[in-house]
Amino acid sequence: MALMTFDSSPITDSLPTSRVRGQPATSQQLSCWKIVSRLSSSPPRANHLTRRGDDRDTSRNLAPVARFVPDEALSKMLAVNSVFFDLAMDIRWKQVVIVTRNTSEVVHILARLSDPFVASRLQSLVLRLTQVKDSHVTKNVRHQMRATLGRALNALEKRSLESRTRTRRGRPTFIDVVNGLIACAPKFVNIRQLTIDSWYLPPSYYLQALYKSFWTSFGANLQYLSLGGNVEGCRSIIESKPVLGILTELQIELTNNLFREDLAEDAIILVNILAPFINSLSPRLEALRIWSWANLNLSDFFLVLSPFPALKHLNVRMAFNKALQEPSGLKSLLCASSQTLHELNLRLNPASLPLNFVDNATSEMPLGQWLLQCVGDERCFSHLRVLDIYPTNTPAGMEFLLASIKRTSKSILELTIRDRYLQHAEVVSIVDAISECSGLAYLRMNIWRLDIVFIDYIAAKLPNLHRLWLSVGETLDANTPDALGYEFPQELKQRTYKDWKLRDLSVWQGGAEVGSDVMFALAGSIPSLQSFFEHGHMHL
C-alpha cells in the first residue's frame, strides 16, 4: 500500500493535499482527515488507561482513517488518548536504523527495544555494520584536552574534575552492540524487512551468532532481505544458514573489498555460494535487485542462476564493460522471466568512458548491440508495464528503444529513458512510438531543448499522459532578452492545451528545478495540471 503524505500544516487549520504519485487528496481522504481532526481536538478521556478493550476497538475502527493522516501529524497527537499513543508508537518504532559506528546511540536504542511493548512494533530493521576503531592512539591527547577544559569549567561550576571523571561511563564497544542485538532479537517477533549493510566491516569480525539469532527469531517471517557489501561479507551471512520461508523480495548490492583483493576467490564465492543461495529462493521471489559497484565480472554468476517462475520486478545496475564481459546469462534471465516480468530497471552504463563523444559512443557499441539482441528475442519485454533503462548514445540504442516501445505498446504504463539527451528528431520518433501505447501514464526523459514546438507536439501526440518528467540540456533564461528560452513563457500565453490530461509536471536543468516563471507559464497553458515535481501541489 502506498504511503500518503500531506502538506505540513496545523491539524485543524486546513485540509491537506495527498502526495501519492502527484495526485491531489480525494474526497474520501479529506473526510477521513476531518474525522481525525475532530478526534484530536477532543479532550482525552480521564479513564482511558483503564479502558484498553474499548480503545483497541476504537484503534481498529480508526485504522482505515489513520492511513490517510501524515506520520508527522499522528506523532504530534501521541498524548490525545491511548489510541493515538499506540498509532504514534507504531510510527516511531516501525523502522529502526542501527549504525554500529555510534555505539552509544545504538545501546540507547537497544535499551528501548529490550521492552517487548516497543520491540513488538518493529517491522523493518536496517543494520549498518561498520568497524569501531580503537581510540587508544589518541587517548592521551583527548585526556589532556578534557583535563584543560575541566579545569576551566571547575572555576565556574565549582565541581572537581575528579568527581566528574569517576562518574563518567566508558564508551560501549562493538561487542556490546552485538550482544545487545542478540539479546533483543527474540523480541523482534514482527520484523518483515531486514537490511544488512556490511561494506565497511573487516572479515575479522565474526558475527555468526548475531545472524543466527535473527534467523531463529524472525527469519521465517521475512518478506524482504537486502544484503550490501563485499562478496566475502555476503558469504559470512549465507554461511549462517538463513531460514527464509516466505521471502519474496531480495536485494544484493556488491562493493569492492576494502580489506583484501582476491578476484579469483570472489569469483568462486559468486558462483558457488551467492548464486546457489539466490537459486534456493527462486520459486518464491517476486522482486530481485542486483547492483554491483565492485571490480567483479558477474558473467558466470548470471549463467548459473535458475529460472524465477514468479519474478515480477528485476533491477540490474552495473558497468556492462566490466561486470558483463560475457552477457548471455543476463539475456537468458530476461527472456526466461518474460512471462511474469512486469517491471524492469536496466542501467548498464559502461564505466570509465572517454570524454570525447565519438569515442564514448564507440565504447558503448557492445552494450547497444546486446540490447538489440535482447529485443530481437520475441520473449523479451513482452509483458512489461514499467521500463527504466539506459539505451546508450549509439544508433543501435535508439533502434533498441523504438523496438522495445513497440514490443510493450499493449502493456507499458511507465517509461523512463536514462542519461541520453535527445535531439528534436529523436524526440519526435520516440513520441510517435509512444503514441501507440494507449495505457502509458508516466514518461521521463532528457531533451536538449524545451521549446513551444516540443510542448505542442507532445500535448497533441500524448493527450492521456498524466505525469511528465523532463531534464533539459540547454539553459533556459526567461529573464534576459534574446536568451534561449526568453520567448518561451510568452509563447505559452498564446496556448491552451485543454485536451491534455497532464496532472503532474517536473522540469529540471543542471540538476535543479527550473525557475518558477517557466513552471507557472506551463501551468497557465495546461488546465489539467495540479502538481509540480510530484509534490501534490503547485507551491514553489
Side-chain angles (χ1 to χ4, degrees):
M1 179 183 68
L3 295 178
M4 301 285 178
T5 55
F6 301 86
D7 295 340
S8 56
S9 56
I11 293 175
T12 57
D13 289 351
S14 60
L15 296 177
T17 302
S18 171
R19 297 200 306 179
V20 178
R21 294 189 176 274
Q23 302 303 321
T26 65
S27 58
Q28 180 189 20
Q29 294 166 14
L30 295 178
S31 298
C32 291
W33 178 255
K34 292 177 182 178
I35 294 171
V36 174
S37 297
R38 288 196 294 270
L39 286 169
S40 64
S41 61
S42 303
R45 298 192 307 267
N47 62 337
H48 72 275
L49 291 178
T50 64
R51 297 182 60 183
R52 298 294 297 163
D54 291 346
D55 282 344
R56 289 192 188 98
D57 293 338
T58 305
S59 182
R60 285 194 294 268
N61 293 334
L62 274 178
V65 177
R67 69 189 181 93
F68 293 117
V69 181
D71 288 355
E72 182 181 357
L74 279 175
S75 297
K76 292 178 180 178
M77 296 157 63
L78 180 145
V80 171
N81 57 32
S82 60
V83 174
F84 288 107
F85 174 79
D86 268 341
L87 292 171
M89 286 291 289
D90 286 344
I91 292 167
R92 168 62 183 87
W93 292 101
K94 66 183 177 183
Q95 181 182 69
V96 169
V97 179
I98 291 180
V99 183
T100 57
R101 181 184 295 276
N102 190 345
T103 56
S104 297
E105 180 182 344
V106 173
V107 168
H108 174 72
I109 293 173
L110 293 177
R112 296 291 288 118
L113 290 174
S114 65
D115 182 354
F117 178 76
V118 176
S120 63
R121 302 172 188 276
L122 184 59
Q123 300 178 31
S124 173
L125 176 61
V126 179
L127 187 58
R128 307 201 187 283
L129 298 169
T130 62
Q131 63 176 334
V132 180
K133 295 182 179 179
D134 190 353
S135 60
H136 73 276
V137 176
T138 58
K139 182 178 180 180
N140 291 335
V141 175
R142 288 204 301 268
H143 177 73
Q144 293 174 6
M145 294 176 64
R146 286 197 297 269
T148 302
L149 179 60
R151 285 192 293 271
L153 292 175
N154 284 339
L156 298 174
E157 301 174 6
K158 305 300 182 182
R159 296 172 57 191
S160 67
L161 178 62
E162 291 79 8
S163 63
R164 288 193 300 113
T165 303
R166 283 195 301 269
T167 59
R168 183 179 180 273
R169 297 183 59 187
R171 181 187 181 190
T173 66
F174 182 85
I175 298 301
D176 293 333
V177 170
V178 172
N179 289 337
L181 278 166
I182 293 173
C184 288
K187 303 179 180 68
F188 298 160
V189 294
N190 290 316
I191 286 185
R192 299 292 183 269
Q193 300 182 354
L194 174 64
T195 297
I196 301 178
D197 185 351
S198 60
W199 70 273
Y200 195 48
L201 189 72
S204 57
Y205 286 76
Y206 187 75
L207 300 177
Q208 293 293 301
L210 174 63
Y211 300 145
K212 289 180 179 179
S213 71
F214 287 171
W215 314 138
T216 301
S217 300
F218 55 82
N221 298 327
L222 282 181
Q223 299 171 352
Y224 166 96
L225 176 64
S226 176
L227 304 179
N230 57 65
V231 293
E232 191 174 12
C234 290
R235 175 175 65 181
S236 178
I237 296 172
I238 295 169
E239 288 179 344
S240 68
K241 298 182 179 179
V243 178
L244 306 169
I246 62 172
L247 193 79
T248 59
E249 185 170 356
L250 176 66
Q251 298 192 3
I252 304 290
E253 186 167 356
L254 300 175
T255 59
N256 285 318
N257 195 325
L258 303 179
F259 307 98
R260 69 151 177 80
E261 184 175 357
D262 189 341
L263 297 181
E265 177 65 16
D266 288 344
I268 293 173
I269 296 173
L270 282 170
V271 173
N272 295 340
I273 296 178
L274 183 57
F277 168 69
I278 297 175
N279 289 341
S280 69
L281 304 171
S282 63
R284 297 180 303 277
L285 279 185
E286 297 179 4
L288 175 63
R289 188 180 85 172
I290 302 176
W291 286 13
S292 177
W293 313 103
N295 296 321
L296 297 171
N297 182 4
L298 279 79
S299 300
D300 291 340
F301 164 81
F302 280 107
L303 281 170
V304 297
L305 287 182
S306 300
F308 295 85
L311 194 65
K312 297 178 181 178
H313 309 279
L314 178 63
N315 189 325
V316 179
R317 185 171 187 179
M318 55 192 63
F320 184 83
N321 57 335
K322 301 291 185 181
L324 293 167
Q325 297 173 23
E326 206 296 288
S328 61
L330 178 56
K331 178 177 180 292
S332 297
L333 174 61
L334 291 173
C335 294
S337 305
S338 61
Q339 288 298 313
T340 59
L341 198 62
H342 292 162
E343 181 173 339
L344 176 63
N345 299 71
L346 204 59
R347 300 183 67 178
L348 305 177
N349 305 49
S352 304
L353 290 177
L355 295 177
N356 180 276
F357 179 81
V358 176
D359 293 338
N360 191 327
T362 301
S363 300
E364 290 189 332
M365 287 180 62
L367 174 57
Q369 291 298 325
W370 178 79
L371 289 171
L372 270 180
Q373 292 175 15
C374 289
V375 78
D377 189 314
E378 294 184 357
R379 295 173 296 170
C380 276
F381 314 135
S382 56
H383 295 85
L384 287 183
R385 299 173 185 174
V386 177
L387 177 60
D388 185 332
I389 198 160
Y390 171 60
T392 76
N393 285 290
T394 65
M398 188 66 184
E399 186 179 347
F400 156 77
L401 194 57
L402 294 174
S404 61
I405 293 172
K406 183 178 181 180
R407 174 72 50 78
T408 62
S409 60
K410 294 182 180 180
S411 59
I412 192 77
L413 303 177
E414 299 184 8
L415 174 63
T416 297
I417 304 169
R418 300 274 183 182
D419 303 330
R420 174 169 181 154
Y421 278 83
L422 302 166
Q423 301 286 353
H424 178 72
E426 296 173 326
V427 171
V428 169
S429 297
I430 290 173
V431 171
D432 284 348
I434 294 174
S435 66
E436 301 298 323
C437 304
S438 58
L440 190 82
Y442 174 79
L443 174 63
R444 173 172 175 160
M445 63 180 179
N446 310 314
I447 60 175
W448 273 114
R449 174 172 293 188
L450 177 63
D451 55 22
I452 199 67
V453 175
F454 169 80
I455 297 296
D456 285 347
Y457 198 76
I458 195 171
K461 283 287 186 174
L462 307 179
N464 296 316
L465 191 67
H466 290 167
R467 298 160 56 224
L468 176 63
W469 193 105
L470 298 170
S471 180
V472 182
E474 293 182 330
T475 302
L476 294 174
D477 185 354
N479 299 313
T480 303
D482 300 325
L484 181 65
Y486 178 72
E487 300 293 338
F488 185 47
Q490 304 302 319
E491 292 170 325
L492 284 170
K493 290 181 180 179
Q494 310 302 317
R495 303 288 202 278
T496 301
Y497 303 102
K498 58 183 179 60
D499 296 326
W500 201 8
K501 298 180 178 63
L502 195 67
R503 299 174 185 172
D504 184 274
L505 177 63
S506 303
V507 183
W508 291 75
Q509 184 177 70
E513 300 172 358
V514 301
S516 57
D517 47 359
V518 173
M519 295 304 296
F520 286 129
L522 286 162
S525 64
I526 308 173
S528 61
L529 203 61
Q530 303 171 2
S531 169
F532 292 149
F533 304 104
E534 300 185 346
H535 289 166
H537 58 74
M538 295 166 62
H539 307 304
L540 296 176

